[in-house]
Amino acid sequence: QKEVEQNSGPLSVPEGAIASLNCTYSDRGSQSFFWYRQYSGKSPELIMFIYSNGDKEDGRFTAQLNKASQYVSLLIRDSQPSDSATYLCAVSFTGTASKLTFGTGTRLQVTL
Amino acid sequence: KAGVTQTPRYLIKTRGQQVTLSCSPISGHRSVSWYQQTPGQGLQFLFEYFSETQRNKGNFPGRFSGRQFSNSRSEMNVSTLELGDSALYLCASSVGTANQPQHFGDGTRLSIL
């Protein structure tokens, strides 16, 4: 069973701090990794994706991959109250490139 | 560019009925995937269609089926509804080549009475 695991949280960080969200995956051969943000009552919104060849930075968001330990991280710098949401990690496993397996999400709370 | 459009947004049905949900992908996207989201199970993959063919399938019973039309629009059908089918059903589209990101619609919230 190929799995994606996330700590459900809540992860609480003060406004302006760095939020660090992690996700572990079971298939060493996985090639693509996605982070989605989901506000309560809304659908998931894609915020970052990376491939097995490297990390990516986009504004306040950085996605990092540690292939040896099989985890992917999302760092949110200068956290804002509007970042408070559930962050879903999704992985495309080997042999199922067009199918995403999601973690259960980490709830982030940014406090004033 | 218009996003993924799902209709209807809300549905209320009773046990034993059937339901059809619709999804129009982003223009140019040929792949449509369907997911079920519940508080207990999270996001679970139902199936994916590409060029009118089911390309991937999750672990759901045969009561859940889908199809895709030549214009890439997709429908999902659930027959003999059960209380446990109450969920948010999400459709996501992508260009269809390997490892490309998927973009979600707003979902259809299905409630079974």
Side-chain angles (χ1 to χ4, degrees), chain B residues 11-109:
Chain B
L11 266 178
I12 299 175
K13 293 286 186 178
T14 57
R15 282 181 299 173
Q17 288 187 308
Q18 73 166 12
V19 67
T20 299
L21 312 182
S22 180
C23 172
S24 292
I26 293 170
S27 178
H29 284 192
R30 297 171 63 193
S31 168
V32 173
S33 297
W34 289 90
Y35 295 85
Q36 180 195 68
Q37 188 174 36
T38 58
Q41 297 295 317
L43 262 167
Q44 306 255 291
F45 174 77
L46 281 154
F47 32 65
E48 183 229 357
Y49 285 87
F50 178 78
S51 291
E52 302 178 65
T53 301
Q54 189 180 85
R55 189 161 64 171
N56 281 297
K57 188 177 187 305
N59 298 319
F60 278 80
R63 300 186 297 109
F64 292 82
S65 62
R67 59 178 176 169
Q68 187 179 35
F69 302 95
S70 59
N71 61 358
S72 295
R73 189 177 71 85
S74 178
E75 288 182 347
M76 188 188 90
N77 185 76
V78 189
S79 62
T80 320
L81 286 165
E82 301 177 359
L83 292 176
D85 296 334
S86 293
L88 178 66
Y89 289 89
L90 291 158
C91 162
S93 76
S94 75
V95 294
T97 48
N99 303 313
Q100 292 302 304
Q102 297 180 11
H103 301 270
F104 284 88
D106 289 336
T108 294
R109 186 162 296 281

Side-chain angles (χ1 to χ4, degrees), chain A residues 1-89:
Chain A
Q1 179 87 1
K2 295 181 178 178
E3 294 182 338
V4 178
E5 295 190 358
Q6 297 181 257
N7 187 317
S8 61
L11 172 66
S12 185
V13 300
E15 184 178 5
I18 296 175
S20 177
L21 302 137
N22 295 319
C23 159
T24 60
Y25 57 95
S26 60
D27 182 4
R28 185 173 296 276
S30 300
Q31 297 183 337
S32 51
F33 309 87
F34 306 86
W35 283 99
Y36 289 83
R37 177 176 62 199
Q38 187 172 25
Y39 293 112
S40 181
K42 301 293 187 182
S43 65
E45 173 194 10
L46 178 71
I47 52 172
M48 290 282 288
F49 63 96
I50 57 173
Y51 298 123
S52 58
N53 58 352
D55 303 339
K56 183 191 283 188
E57 180 177 321
D58 184 2
R60 295 186 298 113
F61 299 91
T62 299
Q64 299 175 323
L65 175 65
N66 185 320
K67 283 191 281 188
S69 300
Q70 293 178 225
Y71 75 83
V72 57
S73 301
L74 178 69
L75 301 177
I76 306 175
R77 289 180 298 281
D78 188 23
S79 295
Q80 301 297 308
S82 59
D83 295 327
S84 298
T86 295
Y87 289 80
L88 299 165
C89 171

